């Protein structure tokens, strides 16, 4: 009996794999074009990265004066996206709001993709990727608790595992027409809320704790990270959900989408407020620390590469805030999507390049080296984004049919328990 | 409940969950033990015997690489010694001989160019003000009118932010105060470079190159042995010299005698004399890094 | 870190020792110390590098032993015309440092002769602060061992006693500013 069941498990799982593969390999033209596009980016990125490994990080524009750049900027932005997946969990549970519960799983899949991209960005940024294992005890040595990077390694991986376990468990159980195991899922989901706040706070502390960089050494950095994360993550999710609604039988209530947009408006307000507070402190106190903020917004002397980006970010963020705060534009699909793109772009700029480069320019000895990414960096970054998007696409290709009940096992030990409707939604989260 | 959930139920006797778990755990523990005891480890507090083996390997490796006999020292910190450095900014004329003496002594890459010392030209009417510092001066003669000069390198801080942030523990302060880097353990994340307030750390952005003829064969395993691309490096107070009782190369080459070095615990050292009789200052003291590198004005 | 208290203790103890010794004695009545912070007592001879004589110029008595002494202050025309004095030349001339009776030595203000190997005593008469710093190892170029025998140079080894002001030097090349392009590598830009 026990022997039968172990064989059963393997058979069921391989059935799931085969079924998933079938789903992934079946799609319309748009799907294949999308995959081809991502594939091309991935190949380009892989080639660029190979060159980088061979020659060294000198193929980037980073130098001693600006020793972190595009890769770390993208990493920071994506940690925010990953954390924001959980913005949806809070209303689902704390406010017990059903329309959101259906889509929490997609937030988690987004978090998984985002964390994967984060880890890849770190890997391409370090000088000796072959020594990555030096971070992993017991083989390596993790300078915990003194190094905030050690904390970041731990919490990011833990967050990844939590989301991965929860999402795959729920989906796999739904595939079998079963409920998830409450004792496993509920604590993990509830844990993921403080964890999401945690990963982004720890990432903020990475910068915040460096007294050498006055631009970063500011108490509001962690709250500001969270605020900008909680707009940028849902921005992607809202676009994805609308696409799912359009191209699959996936249903999501308008109210859910509008609610998320409303929450994003508040987060964006906080983000803008904190930026304003920072600007006041720098410009009014007018110490030498103003140099970094000035470089970002106005340039210094002949050095003003980043100024257009600074004001674009401000403009985009203000636009997004305006569009989301007013219910009229929030409910209009065109302005809603403009707002989503504006949020994504604005936060991407101010939290990527806008955080890293001004923090390091002028450098510790007052020198200005104007950094902007090289072709190698752009190709590698595009490749990593493509990997993340590909992962998300493939996961959705399997997850959506499962949640619609279209993809389920046909020969489970259970027999033919076939849940219908949004198996993942109502039932999976039907915790009163 | 027992049978309705193939995911949670166990299989045959050999794949019983608790036994399976035990097997996995045992295998993991064995692998860990193998890797931790036999695999490469960081050099922090490495036992002497292991160091000896490693030194031998390094000497062979560098001999093969450069075609020259080298000696890699494993000299330990001398007990009762805390190094300190003092630089007289009333004397420095910005000639940069210290920069190049350091490059030669410590086997820094010539291409790409790495220099552990950066001499900043300052304006006399602004004083020590890093926002108006210029490292790229190249007049016919130095010192130039209206300017003074301030070389900056690793300050070997007591409260060093760089050793605090290293995620793998590849950099630490030795017992005599020298902050060192284990070049074989560094993963090149450059967090230490972001943390250093003095721009003292340098990264090998591409493979470093040193002409064999210029290679200094007297090395220390934590100091001036050749590095590879992808790791961080910086001043080590010429650890290969200091632990043998000698002055760092920069101290010896300075033609105006602006640089002083010694054991701060020795009451008769130059450093103690300077602290007592001259007025020392440190860079960015508000950051509480407590550098061992003092600047002073002898005149 | 564990080093810091030791460092602090070291500084405090040295300060206390020096205060107790009364090194510069603003308080007047304390007895002079056995100077703990200077490596040598005030009249102990310092082991130095040899004097930087020009080729063949020493011993001076080779020419001067038979010569009559002319103590009149004047500009030299017959010999040593290459030496232009720019060292308090409004008040002094050659024989204020060089001994008139024995050109192989110098003399202090008191008339006491000092050999060229101890010329630092002569310089120290006017440049007392620098002399004390030099004895401590703080003034002048440092060679030798920090925990053993330090190498001392004479004042005259670096400072030309007739024109002591240093000439300007040509600086070594400036560092290369950071560049996006690596020579010989494709893929940047």
């Amino acid at each position: 009996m026990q022997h039968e069941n172990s064989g059963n498990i393997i058979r069921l799982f391989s059935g799931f794999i085969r079924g998933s593969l079938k789903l992934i390999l079946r799609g319309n033209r748009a799907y294949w074009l999308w995959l081809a596009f991502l594939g091309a980016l991935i190949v380009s990125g892989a080639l660029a990265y190979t060159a980088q490994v061979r020659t060294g990080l000198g193929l980037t524009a980073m130098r001693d004066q600006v020793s972190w750049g595009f890769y770390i900027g993208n990493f920071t932005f994506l940690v925010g996206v990953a954390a924001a997946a959980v913005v949806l969990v809070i209303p689902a549970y704390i406010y017990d709001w059903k329309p959101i519960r259906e889509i929490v799983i997609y937030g988690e899949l987004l978090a998984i993709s985002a964390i994967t991209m984060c880890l890849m960005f770190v890997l391409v940024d370090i000088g000796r990727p072959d020594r990555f294992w030096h971070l992993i005890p017991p083989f390596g040595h993790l300078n915990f608790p003194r190094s905030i990077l050690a904390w970041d390694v731990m919490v990011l991986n833990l967050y990844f595992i939590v989301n991965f376990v929860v999402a795959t468990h729920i989906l796999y159980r739904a595939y079998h027409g079963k409920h998830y195991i409450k004792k496993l899922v509920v604590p993990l989901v509830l844990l993921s809320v403080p964890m999401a706040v945690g990963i982004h706070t720890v990432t903020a502390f990475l910068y915040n704790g460096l007294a050498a960089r006055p631009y970063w050494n500011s108490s509001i950095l962690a709250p500001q990270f969270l605020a900008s994360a909680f707009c940028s993550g849902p921005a992607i999710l809202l676009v994805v959900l609308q696409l799912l609604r359009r191209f699959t039988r996936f249903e999501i209530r308008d109210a859910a989408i509008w609610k998320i947009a409303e929450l994003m408006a508040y987060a964006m307000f906080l983000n803008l407020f904190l930026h304003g507070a920072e600007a006041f402190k720098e410009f009014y106190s007018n110490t030498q620390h103003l140099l970094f903020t000035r470089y970002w917004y106005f340039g210094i002397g002949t050095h003003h590469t980043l100024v257009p980006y600074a004001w674009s970010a401000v403009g985009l963020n203000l636009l997004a805030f305006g569009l989301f705060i007013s219910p009229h534009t929030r409910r209009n699909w065109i302005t809603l999507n403009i707002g989503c793109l504006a949020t994504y772009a604005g936060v991407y700029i101010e939290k990527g390049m806008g955080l890293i480069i001004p923090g390091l320019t002028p450098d510790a000895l007052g020198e200005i080296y104007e950094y902007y990414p090289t072709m190698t960096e752009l190709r590698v970054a595009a490749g990593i984004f493509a990997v993340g998007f590909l992962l998300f696409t493939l996961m959705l290709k399997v997850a959506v049919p499962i949640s619609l009940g279209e993809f389920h096992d046909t020969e489970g030990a259970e027999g033919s328990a076939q849940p219908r409707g949004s198996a993942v939604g109502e039932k999976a989260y039907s915790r009163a | 409940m027992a049978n309705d959930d193939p995911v949670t139920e166990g299989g045959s006797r050999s794949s019983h969950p608790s036994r399976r778990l035990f097997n996995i755990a045992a295998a993991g523990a064995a692998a860990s033990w193998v890797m931790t005891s036999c695999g490469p480890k960081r050099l922090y507090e490495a036992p002497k015997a292991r160091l000896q083996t490693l030194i031998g390997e390094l000497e062979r490796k560098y001999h093969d690489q450069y075609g020259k006999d080298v000696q890699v020292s494993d000299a330990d910190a001398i007990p009762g010694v805390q190094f300190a450095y003092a630089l007289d900014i009333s004397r420095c004329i910005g000639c940069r001989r210290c920069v190049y003496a350091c490059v030669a002594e410590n086997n820094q890459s010539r291409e790409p160019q790495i220099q552990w010392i950066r001499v900043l030209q300052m304006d006399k009417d602004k004083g020590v003000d890093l926002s108006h510092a210029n490292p790229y001066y190249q007049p016919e003669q130095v010192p130039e009118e209206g300017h003074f000069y301030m070389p900056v390198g690793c300050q070997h801080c007591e409260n060093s932010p760089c050793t605090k942030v290293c995620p793998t523990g590849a950099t630490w302060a030795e017992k005599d105060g020298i902050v060192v880097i284990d070049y074989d353990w560094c993963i090149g994340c450059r967090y230490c470079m972001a943390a250093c307030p003095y721009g003292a750390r340098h990264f090998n952005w591409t493979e470093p190159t040193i002409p064999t003829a210029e290679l200094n064969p007297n090395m220390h395993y934590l100091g001036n042995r050749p590095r590879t691309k992808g790791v961080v490096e910086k001043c080590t107070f010429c650890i290969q010299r200091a632990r043998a009782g000698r002055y760092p190369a920069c101290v010896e080459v300075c033609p105006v005698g602006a640089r002083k070095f010694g054991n701060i615990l020795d009451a008769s050292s130059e450093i103690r004399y300077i602290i007592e009789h001259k007025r020392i200052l440190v860079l960015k003291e508000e950051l509480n890094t407590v550098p061992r590198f003092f600047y002073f004005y002898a005149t | 870190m564990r080093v810091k208290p030791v460092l602090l203790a070291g500084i405090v103890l040295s300060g206390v020792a020096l205060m107790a010794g009364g090194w510069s004695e603003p308080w007047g009545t304390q007895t002079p110390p056995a100077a703990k912070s200077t490596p040598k007592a005030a009249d102990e001879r310092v082991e130095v590098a040899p004097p930087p004589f020009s080729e063949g110029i020493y011993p001076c008595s080779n020419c001067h032993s038979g010569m009559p002494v002319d103590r009149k202050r004047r500009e030299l025309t017959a010999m040593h015309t290459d030496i232009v004095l720019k060292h308090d030349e409004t008040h002094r001339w050659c024989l204020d440092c060089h001994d008139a009776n024995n050109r192989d030595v110098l003399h202090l203000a008191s008339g006491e002769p000092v050999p060229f190997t101890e010329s630092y005593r002569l310089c120290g008469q006017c440049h007392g602060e620098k002399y004390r710093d030099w004895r401590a190892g703080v003034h002048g170029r440092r060679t030798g061992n920090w925990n053993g025998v330090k190498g001392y140079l004479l004042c005259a080894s670096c400072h030309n006693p007739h024109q002591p002001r240093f000439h300007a030097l040509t600086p070594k090349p400036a560092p290369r500013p950071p560049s996006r392009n690596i020579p010989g590598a494709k893929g940047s830009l």
Side-chain angles (χ1 to χ4, degrees):
Chain A
M1 168 82 125
Q2 288 174 320
H3 186 78
E4 255 173 33
N5 276 328
S6 76
N8 224 9
I9 293 172
I10 296 174
R11 199 160 24 96
L12 287 168
F13 192 68
S14 64
F16 172 74
I17 298 293
R18 269 182 281 119
S20 303
L21 280 171
K22 269 200 229 133
L23 280 172
I24 287 170
L25 294 171
R26 188 181 54 202
N28 60 10
R29 221 165 104 90
Y31 174 72
W32 285 109
L33 273 174
W34 173 240
L35 248 51
F37 173 65
L38 293 177
L41 285 179
I42 291 173
V43 167
S44 152
L47 288 173
Y49 184 61
T50 311
Q52 187 188 286
V53 167
R54 205 175 38 236
T55 308
L57 279 162
L59 283 185
T60 68
M62 293 185 280
R63 296 291 178 260
D64 285 352
Q65 287 77 357
V66 178
S67 51
W68 274 347
F70 196 55
Y71 295 151
I72 295 294
N74 281 310
F75 161 80
T76 314
F77 172 72
L78 288 168
V79 173
V81 168
V86 150
V87 163
L88 310 178
V89 176
I90 296 172
Y93 279 85
I94 296 176
Y95 299 109
D96 200 18
W97 208 60
K98 246 174 22 183
I100 295 240
R101 279 192 189 158
E102 299 153 356
I103 48 180
V104 178
I105 187 86
Y106 301 107
E108 285 173 350
L109 294 180
L110 179 62
I112 293 170
S113 313
I115 296 280
T116 306
M117 288 192 274
C118 287
L119 296 174
M120 291 184 75
F121 270 115
V122 169
L123 198 65
V124 303
D125 184 68
I126 62 178
R128 291 299 299 256
D130 56 315
R131 293 182 184 173
F132 192 84
W133 60 271
H134 287 190
L135 283 167
I136 307 169
F139 322 114
H141 176 265
L142 198 61
N143 186 11
F144 184 89
R146 294 194 82 214
S147 168
I148 303 296
L149 205 49
W151 281 79
D152 217 16
V153 166
M154 282 182 32
V155 298
L156 280 179
N157 285 296
L158 202 58
Y159 185 70
F160 178 82
I161 291 169
V162 165
N163 277 301
F164 187 79
V165 165
V166 169
T168 51
H169 174 83
I170 290 175
L171 287 171
Y172 191 58
R173 296 281 291 180
Y175 167 77
H176 287 296
K178 294 198 189 74
H179 301 178
Y180 63 87
I181 299 172
K182 280 187 199 163
K183 268 201 296 249
L184 172 68
V185 169
V186 171
L188 285 181
V189 167
L190 290 178
L191 178 65
S192 72
V193 178
M195 281 215 71
V197 173
I199 63 168
H200 219 25
T201 306
V202 171
T203 305
F205 283 173
L206 268 185
Y207 305 105
N208 202 355
L210 300 181
R213 311 289 172 181
Y215 187 70
W216 294 338
N217 192 219
S218 154
S219 319
I220 64 161
L221 203 66
Q224 195 235 302
F225 264 38
L226 288 169
S228 58
F230 287 174
C231 5
S232 55
I236 304 173
L237 209 54
L238 285 187
V239 172
V240 167
L241 293 173
Q242 290 174 77
L243 287 171
L244 286 180
R245 216 167 38 165
R246 168 81 85 87
F247 292 110
T248 68
R249 274 207 292 267
F250 181 70
E251 279 169 26
I252 172 173
R253 275 159 263 199
D254 287 351
I257 293 186
W258 295 335
K259 194 61 169 182
I260 294 171
E262 188 189 337
L263 293 173
M264 282 166 64
Y266 303 141
M268 181 55 85
F269 171 74
L270 193 60
N271 187 30
L272 289 167
F273 176 74
L274 289 170
H275 275 303
E278 186 80 63
F280 168 77
K281 175 247 183 185
E282 296 299 356
F283 285 99
Y284 187 82
S285 305
N286 199 14
T287 67
Q288 273 194 1
H289 293 176
L290 171 59
L291 276 171
F292 309 96
T293 310
R294 187 194 292 285
Y295 174 69
W296 171 238
Y297 287 114
F298 300 107
I300 293 178
T302 52
H303 309 287
H304 39 63
T305 312
L306 296 180
V307 173
Y309 294 98
W311 293 102
S312 304
V314 172
L316 288 165
N317 282 344
L318 284 170
L319 175 68
F321 174 67
L323 291 177
F324 284 151
I325 198 71
S326 149
H328 177 71
T329 43
R330 192 192 313 149
R331 288 168 198 211
N332 175 316
W333 297 108
I334 296 175
T335 48
L336 174 79
N337 283 303
I338 292 175
C340 286
L341 291 172
T343 307
Y344 185 89
V347 176
Y348 180 72
I349 295 170
E350 54 114 326
K351 207 154 153 193
M353 293 282 277
L355 173 77
I356 306 296
I357 309 309
L360 299 170
T361 315
D363 82 336
L365 297 178
E367 180 180 347
I368 296 181
Y369 163 67
E370 292 222 88
Y371 167 91
Y372 55 95
T374 60
M375 211 50 214
T376 304
E377 288 172 282
L378 292 172
R379 284 171 61 194
V380 171
I384 294 176
F385 268 101
V387 167
F389 276 100
L390 183 66
L391 194 60
F392 193 47
T393 306
L394 297 180
M395 287 195 293
L396 285 179
K397 206 73 166 63
V398 174
V400 172
I402 290 180
S403 69
L404 291 175
E406 292 169 2
F407 179 44
H408 52 82
D409 75 35
T410 45
E411 42 159 336
E414 180 74 339
S416 54
Q418 309 295 347
R420 297 288 171 268
S422 60
V424 170
E426 295 285 349
K427 291 193 169 143
Y429 285 90
S430 57
R431 174 185 186 271
Chain B
M1 230 6 222
N3 282 351
D4 76 1
D5 191 344
V7 175
T8 53
E9 195 184 40
S12 68
R13 186 153 303 162
S14 64
S15 54
H16 190 276
S18 60
R19 186 161 296 192
R20 222 185 306 159
L21 215 61
F22 175 78
N23 289 338
I24 293 170
S32 308
W33 181 85
V34 167
M35 287 220 60
T36 46
S37 51
C38 310
K41 288 191 290 283
R42 55 191 195 126
L43 293 172
Y44 179 69
E45 287 175 354
K48 263 301 179 192
R50 201 176 99 74
L51 260 186
Q52 297 295 336
T53 327
L54 190 73
I55 299 290
E57 283 168 19
L58 287 176
E59 285 174 348
R60 272 190 297 280
K61 180 170 92 166
Y62 298 135
H63 173 87
D64 292 339
Q65 200 177 340
Y66 292 96
K68 202 171 177 178
D69 275 327
V70 307
Q71 298 91 44
V72 179
S73 159
D74 61 349
D76 226 345
I78 303 169
V81 171
Q82 289 290 306
F83 290 119
Y85 203 112
L87 199 148
D88 185 354
I89 39 184
S90 64
R91 294 261 181 279
C92 177
I93 55 171
C95 69
R96 293 200 186 104
R97 276 142 179 77
C98 51
V99 175
Y100 289 89
C102 173
V103 166
E105 170 71 27
N106 291 294
N107 294 322
Q108 286 156 50
S109 173
R110 309 304 197 263
E111 188 63 56
Q113 185 192 66
I114 295 185
Q115 293 176 345
W116 290 354
I117 302 173
R118 207 158 180 79
V119 184
L120 302 175
Q121 184 186 60
M122 313 287 234
D123 297 335
K124 275 186 178 164
D125 54 11
K126 291 201 169 64
V128 178
D129 177 1
L130 290 173
S131 64
H132 290 95
N134 173 21
Y136 300 112
Y137 63 95
Q138 188 72 65
E140 285 294 317
Q141 308 257 270
V142 284
E144 275 192 291
E145 190 69 41
H147 293 290
F148 68 98
Y149 299 87
M150 199 161 181
V152 181
C154 176
Q155 313 277 297
H156 295 275
C157 308
E158 295 254 352
N159 226 3
S160 52
C162 57
T163 55
K164 187 162 63 174
V165 300
C166 175
T168 56
T171 181
W172 63 88
E174 288 268 293
K175 289 194 182 66
D176 50 6
I178 304 181
V179 176
V180 298
I181 300 170
D182 179 349
Y183 307 117
D184 296 327
W185 195 253
C186 173
I187 62 172
C189 72
R190 308 186 301 292
Y191 197 14
C192 58
M193 292 176 70
C196 175
Y198 306 106
R201 285 175 169 257
H202 306 274
F203 188 69
N204 286 281
W205 297 100
T206 52
E207 194 67 43
T209 58
I210 314 165
T212 301
E214 297 174 39
L215 185 78
N216 175 10
N218 300 310
M219 306 173 182
H220 190 282
Y221 77 100
L222 288 173
N224 61 336
R225 63 184 174 101
R227 281 71 70 188
T228 58
K229 77 171 189 282
V231 299
V232 174
E233 58 180 71
K234 66 175 189 64
C235 161
T236 58
F237 274 170
C238 280
I239 192 172
Q240 68 280 0
R241 285 172 158 247
R243 286 188 177 172
R246 299 176 62 198
Y247 288 103
C250 49
V251 173
E252 290 203 335
V253 84
C254 177
V256 298
R259 289 171 169 271
K260 305 295 165 208
F261 177 83
N263 176 11
I264 202 169
L265 297 180
D266 175 6
S268 63
S269 65
E270 299 95 276
I271 301 293
R272 291 282 286 277
Y273 182 94
I274 290 166
I275 290 170
E276 176 59 29
H277 298 286
K278 313 294 174 189
R279 297 288 74 82
I280 59 166
L281 64 97
V282 297
L283 284 181
K284 303 195 186 187
E285 78 284 351
E286 74 278 7
L287 301 185
N288 197 28
T289 52
V290 193
R292 293 167 180 278
F293 197 109
F294 308 120
Y295 293 90
F296 69 103
Y297 303 88
T299 309
Chain C
M1 289 165 76
R2 59 188 180 281
V3 171
K4 199 174 169 185
V6 186
L7 198 65
L8 195 62
I11 295 175
V12 168
L13 280 174
S14 85
V16 168
L18 289 166
M19 293 282 277
W23 173 242
S24 53
E25 294 206 80
W27 306 282
T29 53
Q30 289 160 328
T31 50
K36 291 191 180 70
S37 67
T38 44
K40 293 169 177 3
D43 55 0
E44 198 183 311
R45 208 175 155 281
V46 181
E47 194 70 47
V48 289
F53 288 123
S54 311
E55 186 76 37
I57 204 81
Y58 189 85
C60 312
S61 48
N62 282 349
C63 293
H64 282 274
S65 54
M67 248 187 248
V69 179
D70 183 355
R71 291 174 194 272
K72 187 153 144 277
R73 194 176 153 161
R74 64 196 183 282
E75 198 171 306
L76 301 175
T77 48
M79 187 62 183
H80 301 307
T81 48
D82 51 324
I83 297 177
V84 179
L85 188 64
K86 272 205 197 139
H87 193 181
D88 198 22
E89 65 274 13
T90 38
H91 304 114
R92 302 183 311 160
W93 81 303
C94 320
L95 293 181
D96 288 315
C97 292
H98 290 273
D99 192 87
N101 300 315
N102 176 5
R103 294 302 161 86
D104 286 337
V105 297
L106 306 158
H107 70 91
L108 301 179
S110 62
E112 181 192 338
V114 289
F116 279 96
T117 49
E118 288 177 38
S119 54
Y120 49 83
R121 291 173 57 199
L122 175 55
C123 310
Q125 286 183 119
C126 292
H127 302 284
E129 202 180 271
K130 295 208 173 34
Y131 178 50
R132 283 191 289 280
D133 287 351
W134 175 81
R135 291 192 79 98
V138 168
H139 183 97
R141 190 165 159 186
R142 188 83 275 118
T143 55
N145 292 279
W146 57 265
N147 68 346
V149 178
K150 298 199 218 298
Y152 281 86
L153 297 165
L154 280 172
C155 316
S157 309
C158 296
H159 302 276
N160 180 341
H162 307 124
Q163 290 192 20
R165 186 168 282 273
F166 280 160
H167 293 148
L169 287 179
T170 305
K172 295 238 171 210
R176 250 181 270 149
S179 158
R180 297 167 66 77
N181 299 309
I182 325 175
K186 289 189 291 193
S188 29
L189 264 173

